[in-house]
Amino acid sequence: MERRYANACPPPEGLPAPGEAAGPCRLDVPAPPCSTFGVQKESDPTTPAISGDDARGACPACGYFVGAGPTCVRCGARIARRISVRLIRVISVVGSIVGVVALWFAAYSKQPHEVRVGSVDEMMNGALVKISGKVTAADENRDKNTLRLKVDDGTGEITASAFNKLSQFKKVLGDRMPGVGDEIELVGTLNVTQKFGVSMFLSVPDRVKVLNKYTVKSVRIGDLTKENVGDMVALRARVASYDQRSTRSGMVLHAIVLADATGTIDMTLFDADVSKLPDETRKLLTEQGPDLDLTIKIGEYRGRIQAELVNPSAVIVAGGPATVASAPVSKPAPPEPAAAPVSQPPQASSAPASKSPPPAVSKGPKKIGEIESANVGNVYDIAADVVSVSEREKGTLVTVSDGTGEIKMMIWKDQSAKISGFDQLKMGVKISGPFKIDEFHGHVQLKVDAPERISIK
Amino acid sequence: MEGLTVVSYSLLGTLVGAVLCLIPSLHIYNFAGIAIVIWLRVRTSIPYFAIGPFFMSMVVAFSFINTIPMTFFGAADESAGASMLPSNDMLMRGRGRDAALLSGVGTFLGALILIVLTPFYYHVWTYVNVILDRHLHWVLGLVVVFYVMSEWPKGAGRGKTPWAKFREAWRNVFAGLVTFVLATIVGLIVTTKPLAPPELSFQNIMPVFVGFFAIPSIIQTLISENKAPLQYKTGYLNADWADVGYGALPGTIGGLMCAYMPAVTVGVSAIFSGHMSNHRNLHQASFEKPRESGTVVDFHTPEMYYRQERVFLIGGGVNKILYYVGAFLLVFVLTAMTPAGMGRGGLNIMLKPVFSPEQGDYFVMAATVLFSAALSMLLLIAFTDLVIRFLPKINIRAMYVPILALIIGIVFVMGGGWIGLLVCAVTTCVGCIPVFYNCRRSHCMAVLLVPIILNFAGYGDAVARLLRLN
């Protein structure tokens, strides 16, 4: 009996040939009804020797003679109207090359869509888009070779980052590097994450264009109004006072009051920002001294305009190089309605920029349930029962209720001494007096503006 | 109550994944994208903490049940070459059920390995991540060099003239290199300047992969003359515990490699791990009884009768689940050194806009993996038995026509409309080259590998300028 091998390779020597028992066979099953090429019946001389598909009437798959039939009766292969593999090969190669060129051309011609930051959603993750807006912050981290820009297009603010590419951006853009206040056009890839929100990756420096370079104009504090909110201006002012405060969450705030001949304006810096300031700048801003030239952005907080420091490294002493101040500023006394600080400059006429204004006049009684965000800044007479008292490091957190709703208030330690009956403060006592409606972290709360007019019974 | 919700969504994800994965040529990431779009519409009525277990259990089910279309319906994706090659041979010999269940055993073993390696992730892998992070570009470069150079000339003996012999030997290698170069150019184009409209960009890479892997397989099946024979069902698998042990190590090494490295998939990692399972312990495990007296039938080289095919299938199963599930599970390894996790993979990228892991989620996910793996193994056995019963009656070619239409529809709706179809058409042509020139499909992964290497190395913008796409 002749042995035939489909691939002309006999098995290695020493091994049992197929067909000879080599051990217990775990699958004792009949052979499948369909076999592939290479099978021949040597004992039947009438079977024609057919190989390949050159012979007429032969199956191209198994070589079995099928005559004029459309399919092979043995293996089911199609005899006529077959798709040539060679044709597919040619199409795939030619189509690939032509297609790649077409793709490149499509990409070359494509202009990125311009989108608004406010319209970005989850489905746009990974999109290459164009955003136009004003730079509100620019951070160059030389250690990490990273550029970070914050751009506001009027519908929202987005952070655009170029990781490990700052040097390339500086090399390509040179003087055209975007700065705070510039109107720019960015093309980058959107990155939308549930944790960090929407941001953009900048990978190619050529895709950043400065449309309008911002020229900072000099102003006086007294000329600033709420209409200037959002503007960036150059200011010449001195540090009138400096104070450190802790928030409920443990953050440290640095409250600076800047003053010139026309008025004062508050500037608050978080501890994390102060720690990043150059040492020279930190000294200039935390100590009383000469007039400083600095660039600020006008912001608003609780109805009052305030300054936000822009470009900290550009804070210099007016008219000369930066020098160290002569004496540190002492912490001012707690705000009192009757007393006024000795060196307090006159307030700006159209903007309440001074540090401790006199307590506002009450607008009358108000139920807690009727208080809403629109009332922030107003003072009302409120009488309510104490629901809970919680001691904090810097004061006492009190929750009160008058039957129509509950609201919180913080009584600072320096205020508690002035409140009548404060030592009786506990659950169930009544507290009444004029309270200012304030807002903190999006929640409305009460603020003790005139502690000597508050009574606890 | 939360526990019950997690279990319910894990069960739902397993069942949904198991049923949908039976559709040949469709990848779980296609369904994940559709699921995310649906979730965005109904997010107020589905609890947020259910997202992770749902998608995790879907991916686990896919790792198991995907074996069935790949074995019986010839629907090979990129991972098929790594895990399925002997299964086609076994299918033609009536042992397709054996092949599917061997792969399932490997996948289940991989699920257990995935959980057992938990201390490794937290106490070793985080350091590896920090050390390797800055060096990934050249590590990936070495991976590319290895898998390109490891493809050797085949068939040098054919041809009558030296030129014919040279051409036959180098044809498939050259085809592989052409595929690599074309895939690289496509990748540089779509990553530098994506063509999809912004509203559908979260799946802008989907037409590329459908074109590279899914549609060429369908075309191949449509023109193929193969008809699967009757399949046989036995009460035990044709393997022993030693085979399981031999397959576990290479599968684990390959799986961890592709779970961690970006753009390295099962096919690529199996080239590395497969070398550990080649030609091991030449041991004749089974043989074909001659059908007709007086004849002998030999279909393949004798090695294919040996332990290698079982080890390959089991190792491939381990590799597959460590890639698909492991890459997502690593997202939940939140430590001081890895505050954003270490996850990679398409599912992680798709879920980032809607989901972020939190401390403590890892153990919920680990439990989900175990639960879903156990359920999926049972479903694999049940579905395999069902499929082999109806396989002789199924017209595979007729089945693929509506599936092709479905895939084209998904590309059009989710992948960017007509531009998505154009991209898909181009990548289909490129993807047909390895299929019809008999070279590795892994060369198509250059579409992501090379752009990632260039970006990590800091040359992304230089390439954009070179291609005039800046």
Side-chain angles (χ1 to χ4, degrees):
Chain A
M1 178 181 69
E2 190 175 347
R3 194 176 294 279
R4 292 175 185 272
Y5 297 93
N7 59 357
C9 290
E13 288 186 3
L15 290 167
E20 296 171 9
C25 175
R26 292 177 184 166
L27 277 179
D28 189 13
V29 296
C34 196
S35 59
T36 61
F37 52 89
V39 177
Q40 289 192 14
K41 283 195 173 191
E42 302 95 337
S43 57
D44 185 353
T46 61
T47 306
I50 300 165
S51 61
D53 56 357
D54 293 333
R56 273 189 297 176
C59 171
C62 66
Y64 191 73
F65 179 75
V66 292
T71 55
C72 174
V73 295
R74 173 180 275 175
C75 70
R78 196 177 288 133
I79 307 300
R81 294 198 335 211
R82 300 187 304 267
I83 299 173
S84 163
V85 172
R86 187 188 169 94
L87 177 66
I88 294 180
R89 282 180 183 159
V90 170
I91 291 173
S92 64
V93 172
V94 172
S96 305
I97 295 169
V98 171
V100 167
V101 171
L103 270 187
W104 172 82
F105 185 73
Y108 176 75
S109 324
K110 178 184 161 90
Q111 293 301 322
H113 284 83
E114 179 150 6
V115 299
R116 312 294 282 171
V117 173
S119 66
V120 173
D121 61 13
E122 292 91 346
M123 305 267 283
M124 287 185 172
N125 185 35
L128 184 77
V129 297
K130 187 192 298 181
I131 287 178
S132 302
K134 190 190 277 190
V135 177
T136 56
D139 179 33
E140 296 177 7
N141 189 326
R142 285 186 176 77
D143 293 335
K144 293 184 181 173
N145 195 24
T146 296
L147 170 68
R148 196 167 271 133
L149 301 170
K150 282 194 180 164
V151 179
D152 187 341
D153 69 347
T155 64
E157 195 174 76
I158 189 168
T159 303
S161 308
F163 294 106
N164 201 23
K165 284 188 183 350
L166 175 63
S167 50
Q168 281 160 299
F169 270 72
K170 280 184 168 301
K171 188 176 161 189
V172 173
L173 295 176
D175 292 336
R176 293 175 289 122
M177 276 293 282
V180 178
D182 295 345
E183 297 272 350
I184 64 170
E185 186 182 87
L186 286 174
V187 173
T189 308
L190 288 175
N191 180 38
V192 181
T193 59
Q194 193 269 341
K195 200 169 182 177
F196 301 110
V198 179
S199 59
M200 185 188 251
F201 290 140
L202 302 174
S203 54
V204 182
D206 313 68
R207 291 176 177 170
V208 175
K209 289 193 182 90
V210 176
L211 302 174
N212 195 8
K213 199 78 181 155
Y214 185 74
T215 310
V216 178
K217 60 176 182 179
S218 296
V219 297
R220 297 181 304 178
I221 294 176
D223 298 332
L224 294 171
T225 65
K226 285 192 181 175
E227 287 173 2
N228 298 115
V229 170
D231 291 347
M232 207 160 61
V233 296
L235 204 61
R236 179 169 284 190
R238 61 185 169 82
V239 173
S241 68
Y242 166 74
D243 184 20
Q244 281 191 27
R245 282 204 294 266
S246 290
T247 65
R248 267 192 287 178
S249 54
M251 283 197 303
V252 176
L253 297 178
H254 300 258
I256 300 165
V257 176
L258 299 170
D260 67 5
T262 60
T264 63
I265 187 167
D266 295 343
M267 182 166 73
T268 303
L269 299 173
F270 289 98
D271 203 41
D273 298 327
V274 169
S275 59
K276 288 181 194 165
L277 291 176
D279 292 337
E280 296 272 340
T281 308
R282 199 180 309 132
K283 273 204 177 97
L284 289 172
L285 292 175
T286 55
E287 296 168 355
Q288 254 185 348
D291 282 353
L292 306 173
D293 280 334
L294 63 165
T295 306
I296 61 167
K297 184 180 169 186
I298 308 302
E300 189 177 359
Y301 182 64
R302 293 184 182 179
R304 292 166 54 174
I305 60 169
Q306 64 174 11
E308 295 167 11
L309 185 64
V310 171
N311 201 359
S313 52
V315 176
I316 56 170
V317 174
T323 54
V324 177
S326 55
V329 172
S330 57
K331 288 190 181 180
E336 294 185 31
V342 173
S343 59
Q344 190 76 9
Q347 292 182 27
S349 55
S350 55
S354 65
K355 187 168 166 54
S356 51
V361 175
S362 171
K363 292 195 171 189
K366 186 94 170 162
K367 293 288 182 194
I368 292 173
E370 294 164 3
I371 294 172
E372 51 190 29
S373 300
N375 304 126
V376 170
N378 296 337
V379 176
Y380 298 101
D381 291 322
I382 293 172
D385 296 322
V386 174
V387 173
S388 71
V389 177
S390 172
E391 291 295 331
R392 297 278 196 263
E393 190 187 334
K394 299 265 181 180
T396 308
L397 181 66
V398 181
T399 306
V400 298
S401 169
D402 65 356
T404 62
E406 273 187 18
I407 197 164
K408 289 184 172 41
M409 73 174 91
M410 187 70 172
I411 302 174
W412 303 104
K413 278 199 162 74
D414 52 10
Q415 294 175 325
S416 55
K418 300 190 188 92
I419 294 176
S420 162
F422 183 79
D423 50 352
Q424 297 166 31
L425 181 66
K426 60 182 179 192
M427 258 179 65
V429 300
K430 203 171 194 64
I431 184 168
S432 59
F435 293 94
K436 190 172 185 179
I437 309 302
D438 199 6
E439 195 171 358
F440 184 69
H441 283 182
H443 295 288
V444 173
Q445 63 180 16
L446 299 179
K447 182 181 174 183
V448 174
D449 208 31
E452 64 289 340
R453 289 160 66 185
I454 306 294
S455 69
I456 297 173
K457 292 173 187 170
Chain B
M1 195 62 190
E2 272 190 26
L4 192 62
T5 308
V6 168
V7 170
S8 307
Y9 276 93
S10 300
L11 180 65
L12 179 67
T14 306
L15 293 173
V16 166
V19 169
L20 292 177
C21 292
L22 285 173
I23 303 173
S25 288
L26 276 169
H27 202 278
I28 191 62
Y29 292 163
N30 301 134
F31 295 120
I34 296 170
I36 289 170
V37 171
I38 294 170
W39 183 82
L40 286 171
R41 303 274 185 270
V42 299
R43 67 170 102 188
T44 49
S45 45
I46 297 178
Y48 171 77
F49 58 83
I51 298 177
F54 178 76
F55 283 98
M56 177 64 89
S57 51
M58 253 175 72
V59 172
V60 171
F62 168 78
S63 305
F64 281 87
I65 308 298
N66 190 43
T67 305
I68 294 175
M70 287 208 292
T71 304
F72 295 101
F73 305 143
D77 66 1
E78 198 275 328
S79 62
S83 58
M84 288 287 128
L85 283 175
S87 70
N88 202 263
D89 167 49
M90 291 168 80
L91 174 75
M92 298 312 288
R93 283 186 279 149
R95 294 169 52 212
R97 182 176 183 272
D98 212 23
L101 294 187
L102 280 174
S103 183
V105 164
T107 309
F108 191 69
L109 175 68
L112 297 175
I113 292 173
L114 206 56
I115 306 307
V116 162
L117 286 176
T118 298
F120 174 77
Y121 302 146
Y122 277 89
H123 299 292
V124 177
W125 202 252
T126 46
Y127 291 94
V128 172
N129 177 58
V130 168
I131 294 168
L132 272 186
D133 211 34
R134 290 191 169 194
H135 302 280
L136 268 178
H137 57 284
W138 64 261
V139 170
L140 289 175
L142 288 178
V143 167
V144 168
V145 166
F146 181 84
Y147 89 67
V148 169
M149 295 192 66
S150 61
E151 190 165 32
W152 56 90
K154 294 188 274 286
R158 297 192 211 121
K160 292 183 182 155
T161 63
W163 164 246
K165 288 180 185 174
F166 178 83
R167 191 184 62 206
E168 287 301 309
W170 282 89
R171 189 173 68 164
N172 61 336
V173 175
F174 185 68
L177 293 174
V178 166
T179 306
F180 184 88
V181 169
L182 289 171
T184 298
I185 298 172
V186 170
L188 290 172
I189 292 171
V190 299
T191 52
T192 307
K193 223 173 180 186
L195 293 167
E199 303 78 36
L200 291 168
S201 285
F202 85 113
Q203 287 241 288
N204 61 358
I205 208 79
M206 184 256 288
V208 173
F209 281 98
V210 167
F212 275 142
F213 300 110
I215 298 182
S217 301
I218 294 175
I219 294 172
Q220 187 184 30
T221 307
L222 287 174
I223 67 168
S224 169
E225 307 292 355
N226 270 357
K227 191 176 162 61
L230 275 176
Q231 302 298 306
Y232 300 97
K233 185 176 165 182
T234 60
Y236 45 82
L237 290 177
N238 192 19
D240 56 22
W241 290 109
D243 297 328
V244 173
Y246 282 128
L249 184 60
T252 303
I253 292 172
L256 284 177
M257 183 178 149
C258 56
Y260 174 69
M261 291 193 187
V264 175
T265 57
V266 178
V268 175
S269 68
I271 294 167
F272 290 79
S273 67
H275 285 272
M276 291 180 68
S277 62
N278 280 344
H279 302 288
R280 288 188 63 87
N281 290 345
L282 294 180
H283 169 249
Q284 191 172 20
S286 65
F287 52 89
E288 185 62 42
K289 285 177 87 171
R291 186 163 60 86
E292 296 148 334
S293 59
T295 64
V296 172
V297 177
D298 286 306
F299 297 114
H300 305 277
T301 55
E303 286 87 346
M304 295 306 290
Y305 285 95
Y306 294 84
R307 174 171 267 157
Q308 179 197 346
E309 62 179 12
R310 304 195 301 273
V311 170
F312 187 90
L313 285 172
I314 293 171
V318 175
N319 202 345
K320 196 163 55 157
I321 194 168
L322 255 71
Y323 169 59
Y324 287 114
V325 178
F328 188 47
L329 190 64
L330 286 177
V331 170
F332 298 89
V333 179
L334 303 176
T335 65
M337 280 196 285
T338 57
M342 297 186 285
R344 309 277 186 198
L347 184 61
N348 179 36
I349 293 169
M350 276 195 282
L351 281 181
K352 255 190 184 171
V354 302
F355 175 77
S356 59
E358 291 165 14
Q359 286 288 353
D361 282 349
Y362 177 88
F363 298 99
V364 176
M365 291 298 118
T368 303
V369 167
L370 285 175
F371 170 71
S372 188
L375 189 59
S376 299
M377 187 72 204
L378 295 171
L379 288 172
L380 175 69
I381 298 170
F383 285 161
T384 304
D385 290 346
L386 198 65
V387 165
I388 62 173
R389 187 193 295 181
F390 293 107
L391 190 64
K393 300 172 192 167
I394 297 174
N395 186 337
I396 304 282
R397 283 202 284 263
M399 184 178 71
Y400 268 104
V401 172
I403 289 170
L404 181 63
L406 176 65
I407 286 175
I408 291 172
I410 289 176
V411 169
F412 184 80
V413 170
M414 303 279 296
W418 292 109
I419 200 71
L421 285 179
L422 168 68
V423 171
C424 188
V426 173
T427 52
T428 297
C429 291
V430 179
C432 285
I433 296 177
V435 170
F436 293 102
Y437 281 95
N438 308 114
C439 60
R440 282 181 184 154
R441 287 186 176 198
S442 306
H443 291 297
C444 296
M445 286 314 299
V447 71
L448 286 185
L449 268 169
V450 176
I452 286 176
I453 290 169
L454 290 173
N455 275 321
F456 278 16
Y459 296 112
D461 61 317
V463 169
R465 260 182 244 113
L466 182 70
L467 292 173
R468 306 288 184 98
L469 295 178
N470 51 331

